Coordinates of all heavy atoms in Angstrom, one line a residue:
P28 N -2.0 33.5 -47.7 CA -0.6 33.0 -48.0 C 0.4 33.3 -46.9 O 1.3 32.5 -46.7 CB -0.2 33.8 -49.3 CG -1.2 34.9 -49.4 CD -2.4 34.5 -48.6
E29 N 0.3 34.3 -46.1 CA 1.2 34.6 -45.0 C 1.1 33.5 -43.9 O 2.1 33.0 -43.5 CB 0.9 36.0 -44.4 CG 2.0 36.3 -43.3 CD 1.8 37.7 -42.7 OE1 1.5 38.6 -43.5 OE2 1.8 37.8 -41.5
D30 N -0.1 33.2 -43.6 CA -0.3 32.1 -42.6 C 0.2 30.7 -43.1 O 0.9 30.0 -42.4 CB -1.8 31.9 -42.2 CG -2.2 33.0 -41.2 OD1 -1.4 33.7 -40.6 OD2 -3.4 33.0 -40.9
R31 N 0.0 30.5 -44.4 CA 0.4 29.2 -45.0 C 1.9 29.1 -45.0 O 2.5 28.1 -44.7 CB -0.1 29.1 -46.4 CG -1.6 28.7 -46.5 CD -2.0 28.2 -47.8 NE -1.8 29.3 -48.9 CZ -2.7 30.2 -49.2 NH1 -3.9 30.3 -48.5 NH2 -2.5 31.1 -50.2
E32 N 2.6 30.2 -45.3 CA 4.1 30.3 -45.4 C 4.6 30.0 -44.0 O 5.6 29.3 -43.8 CB 4.5 31.6 -46.0 CG 6.0 31.6 -46.2 CD 6.5 32.9 -46.8 OE1 5.8 33.3 -47.8 OE2 7.4 33.6 -46.3
R33 N 4.1 30.7 -43.0 CA 4.6 30.6 -41.7 C 4.4 29.2 -41.1 O 5.3 28.6 -40.5 CB 3.9 31.6 -40.7 CG 4.4 33.1 -41.1 CD 3.6 34.1 -40.5 NE 3.8 34.1 -39.0 CZ 3.0 34.8 -38.2 NH1 2.0 35.5 -38.6 NH2 3.3 34.8 -36.9
L34 N 3.2 28.6 -41.4 CA 2.9 27.3 -40.9 C 3.7 26.3 -41.6 O 4.2 25.3 -41.0 CB 1.4 27.0 -41.1 CG 0.9 25.7 -40.4 CD1 1.1 25.7 -38.9 CD2 -0.6 25.4 -40.7
A35 N 4.0 26.4 -42.9 CA 4.8 25.5 -43.6 C 6.3 25.5 -43.0 O 6.9 24.4 -42.9 CB 4.9 25.9 -45.1
G36 N 6.8 26.7 -42.6 CA 8.0 26.7 -42.0 C 8.0 26.0 -40.6 O 9.0 25.2 -40.3
D37 N 7.0 26.2 -39.9 CA 6.8 25.4 -38.6 C 6.7 24.0 -38.8 O 7.4 23.2 -38.1 CB 5.6 25.9 -37.8 CG 5.7 27.4 -37.2 OD1 6.8 27.9 -37.4 OD2 4.8 27.8 -36.7
F38 N 6.0 23.5 -39.8 CA 5.8 22.1 -40.1 C 7.2 21.5 -40.5 O 7.5 20.4 -40.1 CB 4.8 21.8 -41.2 CG 3.3 21.9 -40.7 CD1 3.0 22.2 -39.4 CD2 2.3 21.6 -41.5 CE1 1.7 22.2 -38.9 CE2 1.0 21.7 -41.1 CZ 0.7 22.0 -39.8
Q39 N 8.0 22.3 -41.2 CA 9.3 21.8 -41.6 C 10.2 21.6 -40.4 O 10.9 20.6 -40.3 CB 9.9 22.8 -42.6 CG 11.3 22.4 -43.1 CD 11.3 21.1 -43.9 OE1 10.4 20.9 -44.7 NE2 12.3 20.3 -43.7
R40 N 10.1 22.5 -39.5 CA 10.9 22.3 -38.2 C 10.4 21.1 -37.5 O 11.3 20.4 -36.9 CB 10.7 23.6 -37.4 CG 11.6 24.8 -37.9 CD 11.5 26.0 -37.1 NE 12.2 25.8 -35.8 CZ 12.3 26.7 -34.9 NH1 11.7 27.9 -35.0 NH2 13.0 26.5 -33.8
L41 N 9.2 20.8 -37.4 CA 8.7 19.6 -36.8 C 9.2 18.4 -37.4 O 9.6 17.5 -36.7 CB 7.1 19.6 -36.7 CG 6.4 20.6 -35.9 CD1 4.9 20.5 -36.0 CD2 6.8 20.4 -34.4
C42 N 9.3 18.4 -38.8 CA 9.8 17.2 -39.5 C 11.3 17.0 -39.2 O 11.8 15.9 -39.2 CB 9.6 17.4 -41.0 SG 7.9 17.3 -41.5
E43 N 12.0 18.1 -39.0 CA 13.5 18.0 -38.7 C 13.8 17.7 -37.3 O 14.9 17.6 -36.9 CB 14.1 19.4 -39.1 CG 14.1 19.6 -40.6 CD 14.4 21.0 -41.0 OE1 14.7 21.9 -40.1 OE2 14.5 21.3 -42.2
S44 N 12.8 17.6 -36.4 CA 13.0 17.5 -35.0 C 13.5 16.1 -34.5 O 14.0 15.9 -33.5 CB 11.7 17.8 -34.2 OG 10.8 16.8 -34.4
N45 N 13.2 15.1 -35.4 CA 13.6 13.7 -35.1 C 12.8 13.1 -33.8 O 13.3 12.1 -33.2 CB 15.1 13.5 -34.9 CG 15.8 13.8 -36.1 OD1 15.4 13.5 -37.2 ND2 16.9 14.5 -36.0
A46 N 11.7 13.7 -33.5 CA 10.9 13.2 -32.3 C 10.1 12.0 -32.8 O 9.7 12.0 -34.0 CB 10.0 14.3 -31.8
S47 N 9.9 11.1 -31.9 CA 9.1 9.9 -32.3 C 7.6 10.2 -32.4 O 6.9 9.6 -33.2 CB 9.3 8.8 -31.3 OG 10.6 8.3 -31.4
I48 N 7.2 11.1 -31.5 CA 5.7 11.4 -31.5 C 5.6 12.9 -31.6 O 6.2 13.7 -30.9 CB 5.1 11.0 -30.1 CG1 5.2 9.4 -30.0 CG2 3.6 11.4 -30.0 CD1 4.9 8.9 -28.6
I49 N 4.7 13.4 -32.5 CA 4.4 14.8 -32.6 C 2.9 14.9 -32.4 O 2.1 14.3 -33.0 CB 4.7 15.3 -34.0 CG1 6.1 15.0 -34.5 CG2 4.3 16.8 -34.2 CD1 7.2 15.9 -33.9
K50 N 2.6 15.7 -31.3 CA 1.2 16.0 -31.0 C 0.9 17.4 -31.4 O 1.5 18.3 -30.9 CB 0.9 15.8 -29.6 CG 1.1 14.3 -29.1 CD 0.7 14.1 -27.7 CE 0.8 12.6 -27.3 NZ 0.4 12.4 -25.9
L51 N -0.1 17.5 -32.3 CA -0.5 18.9 -32.8 C -1.8 19.3 -32.2 O -2.8 18.6 -32.4 CB -0.6 18.8 -34.4 CG -0.6 20.1 -35.2 CD1 0.5 21.0 -34.8 CD2 -0.7 19.8 -36.6
D52 N -1.8 20.3 -31.4 CA -2.9 20.7 -30.6 C -3.5 21.9 -31.4 O -3.0 23.0 -31.3 CB -2.5 21.1 -29.2 CG -3.7 21.6 -28.3 OD1 -4.9 21.7 -28.9 OD2 -3.6 21.7 -27.1
L53 N -4.7 21.7 -32.0 CA -5.3 22.7 -32.8 C -6.7 23.0 -32.3 O -7.6 23.4 -33.0 CB -5.4 22.2 -34.3 CG -4.1 21.9 -35.0 CD1 -4.4 21.3 -36.4 CD2 -3.2 23.0 -35.0
R54 N -6.9 22.7 -31.0 CA -8.3 22.9 -30.4 C -8.8 24.3 -30.5 O -10.0 24.5 -30.6 CB -8.3 22.4 -29.0 CG -8.2 20.9 -28.9 CD -8.1 20.5 -27.4 NE -6.8 21.0 -26.9 CZ -6.5 20.8 -25.6 NH1 -7.3 20.3 -24.8 NH2 -5.3 21.3 -25.3
V55 N -7.9 25.3 -30.5 CA -8.4 26.7 -30.6 C -8.8 27.1 -32.0 O -9.6 28.0 -32.2 CB -7.3 27.7 -30.1 CG1 -7.6 29.1 -30.3 CG2 -6.9 27.4 -28.6
L56 N -8.3 26.4 -33.0 CA -8.5 26.7 -34.4 C -10.0 26.5 -34.7 O -10.6 25.4 -34.5 CB -7.6 25.8 -35.3 CG -7.6 26.1 -36.8 CD1 -7.0 27.5 -37.0 CD2 -6.7 25.0 -37.4
E57 N -10.6 27.6 -35.3 CA -12.0 27.5 -35.7 C -12.2 27.5 -37.2 O -13.3 27.1 -37.7 CB -12.8 28.7 -35.1 CG -12.8 28.6 -33.6 CD -13.4 29.8 -32.9 OE1 -13.8 30.8 -33.7 OE2 -13.6 29.8 -31.7
F58 N -11.3 28.1 -38.0 CA -11.5 28.3 -39.4 C -10.2 28.1 -40.1 O -9.1 28.6 -39.7 CB -12.0 29.8 -39.7 CG -12.3 30.0 -41.1 CD1 -13.5 29.5 -41.7 CD2 -11.4 30.6 -41.9 CE1 -13.7 29.8 -43.0 CE2 -11.6 30.8 -43.3 CZ -12.8 30.4 -43.8
I59 N -10.2 27.3 -41.2 CA -9.1 27.0 -42.0 C -9.4 27.3 -43.5 O -10.6 27.2 -43.9 CB -8.6 25.5 -41.9 CG1 -9.7 24.6 -42.2 CG2 -8.0 25.3 -40.5 CD1 -9.4 23.1 -42.2
D60 N -8.4 27.6 -44.3 CA -8.7 27.8 -45.7 C -8.5 26.4 -46.4 O -8.1 25.5 -45.7 CB -7.9 28.9 -46.3 CG -6.4 28.7 -46.4 OD1 -5.9 27.5 -46.3 OD2 -5.7 29.7 -46.7
G61 N -8.7 26.4 -47.7 CA -8.6 25.1 -48.4 C -7.3 24.5 -48.5 O -7.1 23.3 -48.9
H62 N -6.2 25.3 -48.2 CA -4.8 24.7 -48.3 C -4.4 23.9 -47.1 O -3.5 23.1 -47.2 CB -3.9 25.9 -48.5 CG -4.0 26.6 -49.8 ND1 -4.9 27.6 -50.1 CD2 -3.4 26.3 -51.0 CE1 -4.8 28.0 -51.3 NE2 -3.9 27.2 -51.9
F63 N -5.0 24.2 -46.0 CA -4.6 23.6 -44.7 C -4.7 22.0 -44.8 O -3.7 21.4 -44.4 CB -5.4 24.1 -43.6 CG -5.0 23.4 -42.3 CD1 -3.9 23.8 -41.7 CD2 -5.8 22.5 -41.7 CE1 -3.5 23.2 -40.5 CE2 -5.5 21.8 -40.5 CZ -4.3 22.2 -39.9
P64 N -5.7 21.4 -45.3 CA -5.7 19.9 -45.4 C -4.5 19.3 -46.1 O -3.9 18.4 -45.7 CB -7.1 19.6 -46.0 CG -8.0 20.7 -45.7 CD -7.0 21.9 -45.8
G65 N -4.2 20.0 -47.2 CA -3.0 19.5 -48.0 C -1.7 19.7 -47.2 O -0.8 18.8 -47.3
M66 N -1.6 20.7 -46.5 CA -0.4 20.9 -45.6 C -0.3 19.9 -44.5 O 0.7 19.4 -44.2 CB -0.4 22.3 -45.0 CG -0.3 23.5 -46.0 SD -0.4 25.1 -45.2 CE 1.2 25.1 -44.4
L67 N -1.5 19.5 -44.0 CA -1.5 18.5 -43.0 C -1.2 17.1 -43.5 O -0.5 16.3 -42.9 CB -2.9 18.4 -42.3 CG -3.0 17.7 -41.0 CD1 -2.1 18.2 -40.0 CD2 -4.5 17.7 -40.5
V68 N -1.6 16.8 -44.8 CA -1.3 15.6 -45.4 C 0.3 15.5 -45.6 O 0.9 14.5 -45.4 CB -2.0 15.5 -46.8 CG1 -1.4 14.3 -47.7 CG2 -3.4 15.2 -46.6
A69 N 0.8 16.6 -46.1 CA 2.3 16.6 -46.3 C 3.1 16.4 -45.0 O 4.0 15.6 -45.0 CB 2.7 18.0 -47.0
L70 N 2.6 17.1 -44.0 CA 3.2 16.9 -42.7 C 3.2 15.5 -42.2 O 4.2 14.9 -41.8 CB 2.6 17.8 -41.6 CG 3.1 17.6 -40.2 CD1 4.5 18.0 -40.1 CD2 2.2 18.4 -39.2
A71 N 2.0 14.8 -42.3 CA 1.8 13.5 -41.9 C 2.7 12.5 -42.7 O 3.3 11.6 -42.1 CB 0.3 13.0 -42.0
R72 N 2.8 12.7 -44.0 CA 3.6 11.8 -44.8 C 5.1 12.0 -44.5 O 5.8 11.0 -44.5 CB 3.3 12.1 -46.3 CG 1.9 11.5 -46.7 CD 1.6 11.7 -48.1 NE 0.4 11.0 -48.5 CZ -0.3 11.3 -49.5 NH1 0.1 12.2 -50.4 NH2 -1.5 10.7 -49.7

Side-chain angles (χ1 to χ4, degrees):
E29 184 177 316
D30 282 350
R31 285 193 300 273
E32 184 177 315
R33 293 169 68 193
L34 189 61
D37 287 356
F38 281 2
Q39 181 63 36
R40 286 183 71 180
L41 291 176
C42 290
E43 294 168 354
S44 71
N45 297 321
S47 293
I48 300 170
I49 307 281
K50 294 183 177 185
L51 193 56
D52 183 351
L53 305 175
R54 290 177 291 175
V55 174
L56 189 61
E57 296 175 354
F58 184 79
I59 56 175
D60 70 14
H62 292 86
F63 179 75
M66 294 177 72
L67 194 57
V68 167
L70 174 64
R72 288 184 176 158

